[in-house]
Amino acid sequence: TTTVLLLPVPYMLKELLSSNVLFFNSIFSKFFNNLCLSCDRSMVGSRNPECFISLHTLKTDNCILHHVIQRMPQPEQIAGILQVMERNAQGNVLITRMSETAAEYVSQSHALTYYQEAKIGIVGKLPAPTGLGRVVVATAGTSDIPVAEEAALTAQFLGNEVVRLYDVGVAGLHRTLAHLDDIMSASVIIAIAGMEGALASVIGGLAECPVIAVPTSVGYGASFHGLSALLSMLNSCASGVSVVNIDNGFGAGYMASMINHMGKKKAES
């Protein structure tokens, strides 16, 4: 007789991590020892801010490099990283998931613009658009706007013209159809929705460009904090729809920028 014990996925993950603490600590320790820029190897593991992240110092033809700091835990680390970037002439910087406390701290030593709704901080100015067309960012409801702003600001930071279409969900389909010209003329569309996530399929069925679907954790009950929207988007019948992780506005904005610059790269080569 074989006994099968079915455990919830979160519980299984918790047990896996707790039973492999030494293993993960060993892996991350080796990984962390390689994340050092412009500092002595003996300083790795210290509080020196230069050892918190690996920075790329490659130069491009126009000498402009955009860099992203994602979810650094301590304001002091963010400020330290920015100091290293400035010394290496690293151009503009975008910081995602930044708290107000961190923004206040960093603003004391750097010219930071903080966007509270998106929880994004930007050092430097948003550049002029260099993409081939426009990136449309559409949300199903107003509760999805924080994720949408993260996507929109990321796309703008990377040199794209962005059109925002907010609160155009399928609960009132006429709201979506009222912006048909913007949808049909876009180079790439980011469709952001919680609940059942139907907006991505509707826009995907209308548009003639790539659609990046972003499920959000907005909802209640059987929405399972965005899981329902994620599965709906993954099962979309509309062609040309791809999906990023739940609440991943940054990932969607970055991918949209890459798509919007593809033709330009080909022409330059």
mmCIF file of all heavy atoms in Angstrom, residues 40 43 46 52 61-62 66 90 111 114 124 138 150 152-153 164 175 182-183 186 194 200 225 247 253-254 261:
data_model
loop_
_atom_site.group_PDB
_atom_site.id
_atom_site.type_symbol
_atom_site.label_atom_id
_atom_site.label_comp_id
_atom_site.label_asym_id
_atom_site.label_seq_id
_atom_site.Cartn_x
_atom_site.Cartn_y
_atom_site.Cartn_z
ATOM 1 N N ASP A 40 38.212 46.511 -2.952
ATOM 2 C CA ASP A 40 39.146 45.446 -2.625
ATOM 3 C C ASP A 40 38.385 44.176 -2.262
ATOM 4 O O ASP A 40 37.356 44.220 -1.612
ATOM 5 C CB ASP A 40 40.000 45.892 -1.421
ATOM 6 C CG ASP A 40 41.187 44.968 -1.226
ATOM 7 O OD1 ASP A 40 40.966 43.818 -0.797
ATOM 8 O OD2 ASP A 40 42.314 45.404 -1.506
ATOM 9 N N MET A 43 37.091 43.489 1.147
ATOM 10 C CA MET A 43 35.972 44.248 1.671
ATOM 11 C C MET A 43 34.646 43.562 1.415
ATOM 12 O O MET A 43 33.601 44.011 1.879
ATOM 13 C CB MET A 43 35.942 45.648 1.044
ATOM 14 C CG MET A 43 37.205 46.449 1.300
ATOM 15 S SD MET A 43 37.285 47.944 0.305
ATOM 16 C CE MET A 43 35.933 48.858 0.986
ATOM 17 N N SER A 46 31.505 43.275 3.845
ATOM 18 C CA SER A 46 31.486 44.380 4.790
ATOM 19 C C SER A 46 30.307 45.284 4.480
ATOM 20 O O SER A 46 29.511 45.022 3.597
ATOM 21 C CB SER A 46 32.791 45.174 4.685
ATOM 22 O OG SER A 46 32.833 45.874 3.448
ATOM 23 N N PHE A 52 27.679 45.873 -2.871
ATOM 24 C CA PHE A 52 26.314 45.375 -2.853
ATOM 25 C C PHE A 52 25.802 44.980 -4.225
ATOM 26 O O PHE A 52 24.775 44.334 -4.336
ATOM 27 C CB PHE A 52 25.370 46.435 -2.263
ATOM 28 C CG PHE A 52 25.571 46.648 -0.798
ATOM 29 C CD1 PHE A 52 25.587 47.928 -0.272
ATOM 30 C CD2 PHE A 52 25.763 45.579 0.057
ATOM 31 C CE1 PHE A 52 25.774 48.136 1.079
ATOM 32 C CE2 PHE A 52 25.942 45.778 1.408
ATOM 33 C CZ PHE A 52 25.949 47.056 1.922
ATOM 34 N N ASP A 61 27.928 54.088 -28.058
ATOM 35 C CA ASP A 61 28.299 55.168 -28.969
ATOM 36 C C ASP A 61 27.840 56.529 -28.480
ATOM 37 O O ASP A 61 28.525 57.524 -28.646
ATOM 38 C CB ASP A 61 27.704 54.892 -30.362
ATOM 39 C CG ASP A 61 28.370 53.691 -31.025
ATOM 40 O OD1 ASP A 61 29.514 53.370 -30.636
ATOM 41 O OD2 ASP A 61 27.755 53.090 -31.913
ATOM 42 N N ASN A 62 26.643 56.572 -27.874
ATOM 43 C CA ASN A 62 26.144 57.865 -27.416
ATOM 44 C C ASN A 62 26.503 58.144 -25.954
ATOM 45 O O ASN A 62 26.068 59.129 -25.385
ATOM 46 C CB ASN A 62 24.621 57.949 -27.593
ATOM 47 C CG ASN A 62 23.894 56.831 -26.890
ATOM 48 O OD1 ASN A 62 24.488 56.090 -26.106
ATOM 49 N ND2 ASN A 62 22.610 56.705 -27.151
ATOM 50 N N HIS A 66 21.583 53.336 -19.216
ATOM 51 C CA HIS A 66 20.529 53.366 -18.212
ATOM 52 C C HIS A 66 20.712 52.178 -17.285
ATOM 53 O O HIS A 66 20.954 51.066 -17.732
ATOM 54 C CB HIS A 66 19.155 53.296 -18.888
ATOM 55 C CG HIS A 66 18.887 54.440 -19.793
ATOM 56 N ND1 HIS A 66 18.748 55.723 -19.335
ATOM 57 C CD2 HIS A 66 18.747 54.514 -21.139
ATOM 58 C CE1 HIS A 66 18.514 56.532 -20.357
ATOM 59 N NE2 HIS A 66 18.525 55.826 -21.461
ATOM 60 N N GLN A 90 27.892 56.672 -14.997
ATOM 61 C CA GLN A 90 26.951 55.650 -15.430
ATOM 62 C C GLN A 90 25.599 56.175 -15.894
ATOM 63 O O GLN A 90 24.668 55.398 -16.067
ATOM 64 C CB GLN A 90 26.743 54.636 -14.311
ATOM 65 C CG GLN A 90 27.970 53.806 -14.031
ATOM 66 C CD GLN A 90 28.350 52.903 -15.189
ATOM 67 O OE1 GLN A 90 27.664 51.960 -15.512
ATOM 68 N NE2 GLN A 90 29.452 53.202 -15.830
ATOM 69 N N ALA A 111 20.063 63.963 -6.644
ATOM 70 C CA ALA A 111 18.925 64.629 -7.273
ATOM 71 C C ALA A 111 17.929 63.572 -7.734
ATOM 72 O O ALA A 111 17.930 63.139 -8.892
ATOM 73 C CB ALA A 111 19.396 65.477 -8.453
ATOM 74 N N TYR A 114 10.971 61.270 -7.173
ATOM 75 C CA TYR A 114 10.247 60.103 -6.660
ATOM 76 C C TYR A 114 8.799 60.120 -7.123
ATOM 77 O O TYR A 114 8.098 61.126 -7.000
ATOM 78 C CB TYR A 114 10.287 60.087 -5.133
ATOM 79 C CG TYR A 114 9.621 58.871 -4.518
ATOM 80 C CD1 TYR A 114 10.113 57.592 -4.769
ATOM 81 C CD2 TYR A 114 8.515 58.999 -3.685
ATOM 82 C CE1 TYR A 114 9.506 56.467 -4.214
ATOM 83 C CE2 TYR A 114 7.909 57.886 -3.119
ATOM 84 C CZ TYR A 114 8.408 56.625 -3.390
ATOM 85 O OH TYR A 114 7.810 55.524 -2.844
ATOM 86 N N GLY A 124 18.323 61.627 -12.625
ATOM 87 C CA GLY A 124 18.508 62.086 -13.998
ATOM 88 C C GLY A 124 17.164 62.432 -14.617
ATOM 89 O O GLY A 124 16.124 62.403 -13.949
ATOM 90 N N ALA A 138 -2.432 50.085 -20.848
ATOM 91 C CA ALA A 138 -3.870 50.077 -20.574
ATOM 92 C C ALA A 138 -4.167 49.275 -19.317
ATOM 93 O O ALA A 138 -3.603 48.198 -19.106
ATOM 94 C CB ALA A 138 -4.623 49.485 -21.761
ATOM 95 N N GLU A 150 4.373 51.873 -12.940
ATOM 96 C CA GLU A 150 5.704 51.264 -12.930
ATOM 97 C C GLU A 150 6.115 50.886 -14.353
ATOM 98 O O GLU A 150 7.251 51.121 -14.771
ATOM 99 C CB GLU A 150 5.721 50.039 -12.032
ATOM 100 C CG GLU A 150 7.090 49.377 -11.929
ATOM 101 C CD GLU A 150 7.083 48.155 -11.033
ATOM 102 O OE1 GLU A 150 6.592 47.100 -11.477
ATOM 103 O OE2 GLU A 150 7.568 48.255 -9.889
ATOM 104 N N ALA A 152 4.813 52.154 -17.212
ATOM 105 C CA ALA A 152 4.889 53.349 -18.058
ATOM 106 C C ALA A 152 6.173 54.130 -17.823
ATOM 107 O O ALA A 152 6.844 54.559 -18.773
ATOM 108 C CB ALA A 152 3.671 54.236 -17.806
ATOM 109 N N LEU A 153 6.527 54.328 -16.563
ATOM 110 C CA LEU A 153 7.746 55.086 -16.254
ATOM 111 C C LEU A 153 8.999 54.328 -16.683
ATOM 112 O O LEU A 153 9.985 54.939 -17.116
ATOM 113 C CB LEU A 153 7.796 55.399 -14.760
ATOM 114 C CG LEU A 153 6.831 56.493 -14.295
ATOM 115 C CD1 LEU A 153 6.741 56.530 -12.776
ATOM 116 C CD2 LEU A 153 7.256 57.853 -14.835
ATOM 117 N N ARG A 164 -1.142 56.455 -21.998
ATOM 118 C CA ARG A 164 -1.814 55.805 -20.883
ATOM 119 C C ARG A 164 -3.322 55.746 -21.129
ATOM 120 O O ARG A 164 -3.948 56.784 -21.361
ATOM 121 C CB ARG A 164 -1.520 56.552 -19.583
ATOM 122 C CG ARG A 164 -0.057 56.461 -19.121
ATOM 123 C CD ARG A 164 0.197 57.482 -18.025
ATOM 124 N NE ARG A 164 1.482 57.315 -17.349
ATOM 125 C CZ ARG A 164 2.642 57.770 -17.809
ATOM 126 N NH1 ARG A 164 2.684 58.424 -18.972
ATOM 127 N NH2 ARG A 164 3.767 57.591 -17.128
ATOM 128 N N ARG A 175 -15.704 51.376 -23.030
ATOM 129 C CA ARG A 175 -14.535 52.174 -22.634
ATOM 130 C C ARG A 175 -13.296 51.734 -23.414
ATOM 131 O O ARG A 175 -12.460 52.563 -23.778
ATOM 132 C CB ARG A 175 -14.281 52.029 -21.134
ATOM 133 C CG ARG A 175 -15.408 52.520 -20.252
ATOM 134 C CD ARG A 175 -15.119 52.270 -18.798
ATOM 135 N NE ARG A 175 -14.938 50.843 -18.507
ATOM 136 C CZ ARG A 175 -14.561 50.376 -17.324
ATOM 137 N NH1 ARG A 175 -14.278 51.201 -16.325
ATOM 138 N NH2 ARG A 175 -14.426 49.068 -17.133
ATOM 139 N N ASP A 182 -6.022 54.475 -30.623
ATOM 140 C CA ASP A 182 -4.760 54.321 -29.888
ATOM 141 C C ASP A 182 -4.299 52.867 -29.892
ATOM 142 O O ASP A 182 -3.104 52.580 -30.029
ATOM 143 C CB ASP A 182 -4.929 54.795 -28.442
ATOM 144 C CG ASP A 182 -5.087 56.304 -28.334
ATOM 145 O OD1 ASP A 182 -4.406 57.022 -29.091
ATOM 146 O OD2 ASP A 182 -5.898 56.750 -27.504
ATOM 147 N N ILE A 183 -5.232 51.946 -29.753
ATOM 148 C CA ILE A 183 -4.903 50.524 -29.727
ATOM 149 C C ILE A 183 -4.363 50.068 -31.081
ATOM 150 O O ILE A 183 -3.367 49.346 -31.164
ATOM 151 C CB ILE A 183 -6.138 49.699 -29.317
ATOM 152 C CG1 ILE A 183 -6.499 49.977 -27.851
ATOM 153 C CG2 ILE A 183 -5.890 48.203 -29.531
ATOM 154 C CD1 ILE A 183 -7.803 49.352 -27.404
ATOM 155 N N ALA A 186 -0.684 51.478 -32.010
ATOM 156 C CA ALA A 186 0.431 51.235 -31.085
ATOM 157 C C ALA A 186 1.455 50.286 -31.688
ATOM 158 O O ALA A 186 1.141 49.438 -32.529
ATOM 159 C CB ALA A 186 -0.110 50.654 -29.778
ATOM 160 N N GLY A 194 -6.454 42.820 -13.072
ATOM 161 C CA GLY A 194 -6.593 41.850 -11.997
ATOM 162 C C GLY A 194 -7.854 41.037 -12.220
ATOM 163 O O GLY A 194 -8.278 40.821 -13.356
ATOM 164 N N ALA A 200 -6.533 41.567 -21.414
ATOM 165 C CA ALA A 200 -5.435 41.171 -22.314
ATOM 166 C C ALA A 200 -5.956 40.439 -23.539
ATOM 167 O O ALA A 200 -5.497 40.675 -24.661
ATOM 168 C CB ALA A 200 -4.428 40.308 -21.562
ATOM 169 N N HIS A 225 -5.038 36.515 -5.241
ATOM 170 C CA HIS A 225 -3.951 37.497 -5.286
ATOM 171 C C HIS A 225 -3.264 37.564 -6.658
ATOM 172 O O HIS A 225 -2.049 37.725 -6.747
ATOM 173 C CB HIS A 225 -2.912 37.202 -4.200
ATOM 174 C CG HIS A 225 -3.477 37.159 -2.815
ATOM 175 N ND1 HIS A 225 -3.874 38.288 -2.128
ATOM 176 C CD2 HIS A 225 -3.753 36.102 -1.999
ATOM 177 C CE1 HIS A 225 -4.349 37.948 -0.941
ATOM 178 N NE2 HIS A 225 -4.297 36.620 -0.840
ATOM 179 N N ASP A 247 2.029 41.539 -11.027
ATOM 180 C CA ASP A 247 2.450 42.884 -10.593
ATOM 181 C C ASP A 247 3.810 43.311 -11.152
ATOM 182 O O ASP A 247 4.418 44.248 -10.643
ATOM 183 C CB ASP A 247 2.501 42.982 -9.058
ATOM 184 C CG ASP A 247 1.112 42.905 -8.430
ATOM 185 O OD1 ASP A 247 0.121 43.227 -9.118
ATOM 186 O OD2 ASP A 247 1.024 42.516 -7.247
ATOM 187 N N GLY A 253 7.359 46.887 -18.918
ATOM 188 C CA GLY A 253 7.875 48.119 -19.522
ATOM 189 C C GLY A 253 9.204 47.913 -20.214
ATOM 190 O O GLY A 253 9.457 48.457 -21.290
ATOM 191 N N TYR A 254 10.059 47.097 -19.615
ATOM 192 C CA TYR A 254 11.369 46.816 -20.198
ATOM 193 C C TYR A 254 11.224 46.037 -21.505
ATOM 194 O O TYR A 254 11.868 46.344 -22.511
ATOM 195 C CB TYR A 254 12.219 46.032 -19.194
ATOM 196 C CG TYR A 254 13.701 46.047 -19.492
ATOM 197 C CD1 TYR A 254 14.554 46.900 -18.803
ATOM 198 C CD2 TYR A 254 14.245 45.210 -20.453
ATOM 199 C CE1 TYR A 254 15.920 46.919 -19.071
ATOM 200 C CE2 TYR A 254 15.599 45.230 -20.730
ATOM 201 C CZ TYR A 254 16.435 46.083 -20.042
ATOM 202 O OH TYR A 254 17.771 46.106 -20.320
ATOM 203 N N HIS A 261 12.214 49.119 -29.944
ATOM 204 C CA HIS A 261 13.506 49.555 -30.477
ATOM 205 C C HIS A 261 14.130 48.527 -31.440
ATOM 206 O O HIS A 261 15.231 48.753 -31.943
ATOM 207 C CB HIS A 261 14.494 49.836 -29.351
ATOM 208 C CG HIS A 261 14.240 51.118 -28.625
ATOM 209 N ND1 HIS A 261 13.308 51.226 -27.613
ATOM 210 C CD2 HIS A 261 14.779 52.359 -28.765
ATOM 211 C CE1 HIS A 261 13.306 52.470 -27.156
ATOM 212 N NE2 HIS A 261 14.176 53.167 -27.832
#
